[in-house]
């Protein structure tokens, strides 16, 4: 029989969020993190597009506090460029895998060791190759969550965010 402390340890979990531009993935990610917290999981959201800034070519990508249109457009273009430069459709998702490996190392884990009661939320996956790679790497511990918002609602959401970032409030 396992000691009580070991019996409470839970495996790492991995969630990939998918949604078209304008879908409120922040709301989905927050709800997921809250649910995982009630199950005694710590969560870390890995914003895949932000990992591109660690690459010299993309170090000057704008922060989300700047013009929202430029932020979204530049990150989408950078992701496309990075996939093309590497010849891998899953390249951006693999940056996220590297971030997890880095977190494990920082936590003192050896290669192959995991952090119990830890969940990771990949935000946001952009193509099937990323999903296939994460399923291949994490197996049955990977869950895909697709969020849907109507085209009209996404347009309104994007317009509001762009207007707010430009200090224009027509809404």
């Amino acid at each position: 029989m396992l000691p009580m402390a070991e019996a409470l340890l839970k495996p790492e979990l991995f969630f990939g969020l998918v949604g078209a531009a304008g879908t409120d993935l922040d709301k989905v990610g927050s709800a997921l993190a809250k649910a995982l917290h009630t199950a005694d999981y710590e969560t870390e959201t890995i914003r895949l597009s932000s990992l591109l800034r660690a690459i010299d070519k993309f170090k000057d990508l704008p922060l989300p506090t700047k013009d929202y249109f430029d932020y979204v457009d530049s990150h989408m273009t950078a992701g496309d460029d990075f996939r093309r430069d590497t010849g891998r459709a899953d390249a951006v998702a693999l940056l996220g895998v590297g971030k997890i490996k880095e977190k494990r190392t920082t936590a003192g884990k050896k290669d192959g060791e995991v952090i119990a009661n830890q969940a990771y939320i990949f935000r946001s996956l952009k193509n099937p190759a990323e999903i296939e790679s994460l399923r291949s790497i994490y197996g049955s511990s990977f869950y895909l969550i697709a969020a849907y918002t109507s085209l009209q609602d996404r347009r309104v959401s994007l317009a509001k965010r762009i207007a707010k970032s430009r200090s224009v409030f027509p809404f």
Side-chain angles (χ1 to χ4, degrees), residues 85-134:
D85 291 350
T86 60
R88 295 195 63 127
D90 63 350
V92 180
L94 294 179
L95 291 175
V97 172
K99 184 75 172 171
I100 291 170
K101 186 172 182 173
E102 186 179 294
K103 180 179 175 81
R104 289 174 179 163
T105 300
T106 301
K109 301 297 182 181
K110 295 180 180 147
D111 212 19
E113 288 184 319
V114 301
I115 301 172
N117 298 64
Q118 178 67 50
Y120 303 93
I121 302 170
F122 291 96
R123 173 147 189 241
S124 71
L125 303 175
K126 297 298 180 193
N127 65 61
E130 293 178 325
I131 297 162
E132 289 172 24
S133 290
L134 294 174

Side-chain angles (χ1 to χ4, degrees), residues 6-152:
E6 285 186 45
L8 299 176
L9 296 180
K10 298 176 182 174
E12 282 181 318
L13 297 175
F14 307 87
F15 297 87
L17 301 184
V18 177
T23 301
D24 192 352
L25 290 181
D26 287 335
K27 185 184 278 186
V28 175
S30 293
L32 176 59
K34 185 177 179 181
L36 287 164
H37 182 72
T38 64
D40 297 323
Y41 271 89
E42 296 296 320
T43 60
E44 180 171 342
T45 298
I46 300 170
R47 293 185 67 96
L48 295 174
S49 62
S50 70
L51 298 178
L52 291 167
R53 283 194 206 96
I55 298 164
D56 203 39
K57 178 178 179 178
F58 306 113
K59 69 180 181 206
D60 295 324
L61 284 171
L63 297 172
T65 55
K66 303 289 183 189
D67 183 288
Y68 190 71
F69 176 83
D70 290 339
Y71 169 78
V72 171
D73 185 57
S74 64
H75 282 76
M76 289 171 87
T77 300
D80 291 342
D81 288 350
F82 185 59
R83 285 185 281 277
R84 187 178 53 257
D85 291 350
T86 60
R88 295 195 63 127
D90 63 350
V92 180
L94 294 179
L95 291 175
V97 172
K99 184 75 172 171
I100 291 170
K101 186 172 182 173
E102 186 179 294
K103 180 179 175 81
R104 289 174 179 163
T105 300
T106 301
K109 301 297 182 181
K110 295 180 180 147
D111 212 19
E113 288 184 319
V114 301
I115 301 172
N117 298 64
Q118 178 67 50
Y120 303 93
I121 302 170
F122 291 96
R123 173 147 189 241
S124 71
L125 303 175
K126 297 298 180 193
N127 65 61
E130 293 178 325
I131 297 162
E132 289 172 24
S133 290
L134 294 174
R135 282 186 174 145
S136 174
I137 293 165
Y138 300 120
S140 62
S141 293
F142 175 75
Y143 300 89
L144 182 65
I145 298 174
Y148 173 79
T149 304
S150 72
L151 177 59
Q152 178 61 26

